[in-house]
Amino acid sequence: MMKSLLPQSQLRRSAAASSAARSSVGGAEGPAAASDSSAGGTKPTSSSTFWFLLHALCCLISLFLGFRFSRLLFFLLFSSSALYAASNTNNPSSASSASHVVVGRHGIRIRPWPHPDPVEVMRAHRIMDRVQEEQRRWYGVREPRHVLAVTPTYSRAFQALHLTGLLHSLRNVPYPLTWLVVEAGGVTNATAALLARSGLTVVHVPFPDRMPLDWAERHATENRMRLHALRVIRERKMDGVVVFADDSNVHSMELFDEAQKVQWMAAVSVGILAHTGAAEQPRLTEDDRKSMPLPVQGPACNASGQLAGWHTFNTLPFSGKTAAVVGEAAPVLPRGLEWAGFIINSRMLWKEAEGKPEWVKDLDAVGENGEEIENPLTLLNDASFVEPLGNCGKKILLWWLRVEARADSKFPAGWVIEPPLEVVIPAKRTPWPETTTEVSSEQLEGKQEQEDRRLSRTNRSARSRSTTTKRKGDVQN
């Protein structure tokens, strides 16, 4: 009924749309049905036949050769050398700058090792110095104090050796530093020349007494020399922290960092290197080694980190075996607490200083009656105010050592070899001729004749060339 009511044109359009939908559905089902029908009776293609025949051929060759031929073929076709060759052909610049070596299945690429540019190296060092300076500025001591290093010395065979090592250590200190060198027996030219080449701010102080040869007397003389340097600091009102740097000791840079924390007087742990020059040494058992105390001098703290006492070096195992004279082949031991283990504020030496504590003695009252000064604790009325540094004495910040030349040793003056060394072991081959041999008169005459002949030949060849050029010019004219 509705179809009859619609116009004739709309009926035609709806019939066309329905026929198109049926054709699309039928077309979609057609290929699927064709594929389903062909799946049942598929025939082998030519590519699968080729790979099957190739596999069979490789199996026959492998059976004949005794190994899998297909792996060898695959390796030859797709090896790393072929890959590197392909990459080098694509990038010829990289092939010229780098080579490769094939080891087994893996390729090793060899790149040229560039030599460091000295300009870039120095620039890197300057950048590192700048970074370290900024780190010290932000995380280190904001206002570093001046370091006053006191060193007693005297003229001897190992003086240049010890002072050279010490000055190189002091040059690495990252704080302003003044080196006070007290020389026994007066100032010598050799010591002054060495200090002038150090590049440090040096105060060369003469001491009238000479250094004795006995070790006990030498210890007492060195103590008086250090006290003399402290008086020079007081007279000149030098402000800073005083470090007792003996010339034969070994110092760590952390010692000078800890010195910046001193308020008035502090103590650090010192490692005692009790060397021995004796040829015969007693063999210690395991029990003796375990029972021997640590060769350390320094402050001992309690659980709260306060100074409770002192740990000193035990000299009992060396009783009767120590050296009595400088140069003797025997160990040298410290006498009590060494000055090298103490750091003091120079303002406690001044007569008038702001905030100077009452438990500090006047420097004029120390040693006025001729008593021997063993260590800096004699400058205090109460030694309990000493500040332990280095993690409360747990860190060893320097090492005490006394090494001197033997009495029968022979060393050149100023360590300058003059005249030159004598030949002890001759060389097997001399790469240059002897220049001291004289040439005979006959050899000189023969050489002169050869030179004249050579000059005459040269003149003849020059004349023949000139005549040949003249003839060619005449012919051309």
Side-chain angles (χ1 to χ4, degrees):
M1 184 69 183
M2 292 296 297
K3 290 182 180 180
S4 60
L5 295 176
L6 291 174
Q8 199 69 18
S9 59
Q10 292 185 2
L11 289 173
R12 293 195 192 99
R13 290 173 188 169
S14 60
S18 60
S19 63
R22 289 193 204 100
S23 64
S24 62
V25 172
E29 294 176 354
S35 61
D36 294 340
S37 62
S38 63
T42 303
K43 294 183 179 180
T45 59
S46 58
S47 60
S48 60
T49 306
F50 170 75
W51 285 112
F52 176 76
L53 294 177
L54 180 62
H55 180 67
L57 180 62
C58 291
C59 290
L60 292 176
I61 296 175
S62 302
L63 182 63
F64 178 75
L65 295 177
F67 60 90
R68 298 185 66 176
F69 177 74
S70 58
R71 287 189 176 181
L72 177 62
L73 183 63
F74 183 81
F75 176 74
L76 293 176
L77 290 176
F78 304 101
S79 63
S80 57
S81 59
L83 296 176
Y84 277 120
S87 62
N88 290 336
T89 53
N90 295 332
N91 191 4
S93 60
S94 63
S96 60
S97 61
S99 60
H100 66 277
V101 176
V102 178
V103 180
R105 300 182 182 181
H106 307 286
I108 302 175
R109 181 165 296 195
I110 301 176
R111 294 181 175 88
W113 184 264
H115 292 282
D117 188 1
V119 178
E120 295 293 334
V121 171
M122 295 305 300
R123 186 180 302 171
H125 280 292
R126 286 193 293 268
I127 293 174
M128 291 174 62
D129 293 340
R130 181 62 178 170
V131 170
Q132 292 176 357
E133 183 180 353
E134 289 295 329
Q135 288 178 346
R136 286 193 296 267
R137 182 185 301 176
W138 284 95
Y139 306 106
V141 182
R142 295 299 178 90
E143 297 180 359
R145 290 187 285 180
H146 209 91
V147 178
L148 306 174
V150 176
T151 302
T153 185
Y154 69 102
S155 180
R156 61 193 189 279
F158 279 6
Q159 183 192 23
L161 176 70
H162 294 324
L163 288 180
T164 301
L166 179 58
L167 71 88
H168 282 291
S169 298
L170 297 179
R171 288 177 65 178
N172 291 324
V173 175
Y175 306 106
L177 184 139
T178 300
W179 193 12
L180 287 89
V181 181
V182 185
E183 187 171 8
V187 174
T188 59
N189 295 331
T191 307
L194 190 147
L195 297 178
R197 296 191 301 267
S198 66
L200 300 171
T201 304
V202 180
V203 179
H204 200 176
V205 181
F207 190 72
D209 299 340
R210 287 186 168 274
M211 188 67 70
L213 294 179
D214 185 73
W215 273 112
E217 296 179 1
R218 174 178 168 175
H219 280 291
T221 305
E222 287 180 346
N223 293 338
R224 292 196 298 269
M225 293 169 67
R226 297 186 184 98
L227 188 61
H228 181 63
L230 296 182
R231 290 194 173 97
V232 172
I233 292 173
R234 186 192 60 176
E235 292 174 0
R236 302 189 181 186
K237 272 202 167 183
M238 303 175 72
D239 191 9
V241 289
V242 181
V243 177
F244 299 98
D246 296 346
D247 55 2
S248 59
N249 289 353
V250 182
H251 306 82
S252 66
M253 292 297 104
E254 192 176 357
L255 171 67
F256 302 96
D257 295 334
E258 292 289 324
Q260 299 293 324
K261 305 175 183 178
V262 176
Q263 294 183 1
W264 293 105
M265 179 179 287
V268 296
S269 295
V270 182
I272 306 299
L273 302 179
H275 77 98
T276 176
E280 299 180 358
Q281 292 294 328
R283 294 186 178 180
L284 301 177
T285 61
E286 292 295 333
D287 297 336
D288 295 338
R289 292 179 180 177
K290 292 180 181 179
S291 61
M292 288 185 65
L294 291 175
V296 176
Q297 164 203 311
C301 300
N302 54 18
S304 61
Q306 302 296 326
L307 181 67
W310 302 91
H311 181 88
T312 58
F313 181 73
N314 185 18
T315 59
L316 292 179
F318 300 92
S319 59
K321 303 175 184 178
T322 58
V325 182
V326 177
E328 187 178 355
V332 182
L333 303 179
R335 294 172 58 88
L337 296 175
E338 283 294 323
W339 286 67
F342 294 90
I343 304 171
I344 64 176
N345 187 351
S346 64
R347 294 193 177 187
M348 65 176 289
L349 306 174
W350 299 356
K351 289 186 177 181
E352 296 180 359
E354 183 180 357
K356 183 177 179 180
E358 298 179 355
W359 43 268
V360 176
K361 293 182 181 179
D362 188 6
L363 191 60
D364 294 332
V366 177
E368 60 180 356
N369 298 326
E371 67 269 12
E372 185 178 354
I373 303 168
E374 289 289 341
N375 49 66
L377 294 179
T378 56
L379 302 175
L380 308 178
N381 293 320
D382 188 358
S384 62
F385 291 95
V386 176
E387 311 151 23
L389 297 180
N391 195 9
C392 202
K394 295 180 181 179
K395 290 184 179 180
I396 298 177
L397 302 180
L398 72 151
W399 292 265
W400 184 91
L401 177 64
R402 288 294 178 270
V403 179
E404 298 297 342
R406 292 174 50 179
D408 56 349
S409 301
K410 182 179 181 181
F411 297 95
W415 292 94
V416 178
I417 302 173
E418 187 66 35
L421 295 174
E422 299 178 357
V423 177
V424 179
I425 302 175
K428 295 182 179 180
R429 294 181 181 178
T430 305
W432 52 84
E434 294 290 343
T435 57
T436 56
T437 56
E438 297 181 358
V439 183
S440 61
S441 58
E442 297 179 356
Q443 293 179 352
L444 290 175
E445 292 177 358
K447 289 183 179 181
Q448 187 66 30
E449 291 178 359
Q450 292 178 1
E451 187 68 21
D452 294 341
R453 292 174 185 174
R454 188 181 65 80
L455 291 175
S456 61
R457 291 173 185 173
T458 305
N459 294 334
R460 291 173 187 173
S461 61
R463 291 173 185 172
S464 62
R465 291 172 189 165
S466 61
T467 54
T468 304
T469 53
K470 287 181 180 179
R471 289 174 184 174
K472 290 181 179 179
D474 296 339
V475 171
Q476 291 176 359
N477 294 328

